[in-house]
C-alpha cells in the first residue's frame, strides 16, 4: 500500500458567488476549467498541473484560518504577479522563504492562496570570490 499523490483539493465559497470564483481561477490565474456535474453553479472544477481543484458553493460558508491555504507552484511568477496587480488585487509579499519567490492572495471567497517559484541557488562563496576578483 502506498499513497500515490493528491487527487483533488476542495475549497468552499459562498453559494451564488460562482461567477466571481470562475473569473478569478480561470481568467486571472489561467487554470483550465474541467467539465463537471451540472450543479447549477454550485461546483466548479479546475486543473492545476496534474491535480484538480474543486470549488463548491455552500450556504453556510465560513472562511478558513489563513494558516490553512493552497500553495501553487508557478512558472513565471513575476508575470502572474503583474496580472494580479493589474486586476488591483492585494498581494501580501512580506513573508520570505529561502530558495523561493512567493506572495499570498485571497480568492473572492476569502480562501488564502500562496504562489511560489523556486529561485536558482546562488553559491555565496563564489559570489564573494568573483567580487574580489573584479576589485583586484
Amino acid at each position: 500500500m502506498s499513497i500515490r499523490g493528491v487527487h483533488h483539493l476542495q475549497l468552499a465559497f459562498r453559494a451564488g458567488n460562482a461567477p466571481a470564483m470562475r473569473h478569478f481561477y480561470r481568467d486571472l490565474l489561467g487554470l483550465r476549467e474541467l467539465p463537471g456535474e451540472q450543479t447549477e453553479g454550485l461546483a466548479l472544477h479546475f486543473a492545476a498541473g496534474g491535480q484538480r481543484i474543486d470549488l463548491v458553493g455552500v450556504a453556510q460558508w465560513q472562511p478558513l484560518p489563513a494558516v490553512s491555504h493552497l500553495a501553487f507552484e508557478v512558472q513565471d511568477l513575476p508575470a502572474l504577479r503583474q496580472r494580479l496587480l493589474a486586476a488591483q488585487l492585494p498581494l501580501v509579499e512580506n513573508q520570505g522563504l529561502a530558495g523561493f519567490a512567493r506572495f499570498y492572495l485571497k480568492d473572492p471567497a476569502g480562501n488564502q492562496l500562496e504562489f511560489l517559484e523556486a529561485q536558482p541557488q546562488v553559491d555565496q562563496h563564489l559570489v564573494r570570490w568573483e567580487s574580489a576578483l573584479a576589485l583586484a
Side-chain angles (χ1 to χ4, degrees), residues 48-62:
Q51 288 75 42
R52 195 176 86 203
I53 300 170
D54 295 338
L55 306 172
V56 180
V58 295
Q60 300 295 322
W61 176 84
Q62 293 291 319

Side-chain angles (χ1 to χ4, degrees), residues 4 10 12 14 30-31 34 42 49 51 54 56 60 66 75 79 83 87-88 98 101-102 113 119 121 124 129-130 133:
R4 296 179 18 197
Q10 184 166 296
R14 188 177 318 280
L31 297 180
L34 301 171
L42 293 180
Q51 288 75 42
D54 295 338
V56 180
Q60 300 295 322
Q75 182 179 358
R83 183 180 332 150
Q88 300 181 346
R102 73 175 177 176
L113 306 176
Q119 298 297 290
Q121 296 297 321
Q124 293 302 318
W129 183 74
E130 288 176 345
L133 286 176

Side-chain angles (χ1 to χ4, degrees), residues 21-34 45-49 53 72-75 79-81 83-84 89 105 113 115:
M21 296 296 282
R22 175 176 281 118
H23 172 70
F24 180 83
Y25 282 89
R26 184 188 63 197
D27 302 333
L28 294 177
L29 298 186
L31 297 180
R32 183 172 54 91
E33 189 167 2
L34 301 171
H45 309 279
F46 294 93
I53 300 170
F72 289 100
E73 186 176 356
V74 177
Q75 182 179 358
L80 177 61
R81 180 182 177 276
R83 183 180 332 150
L84 297 172
L89 296 172
L105 171 68
L113 306 176
F115 301 88

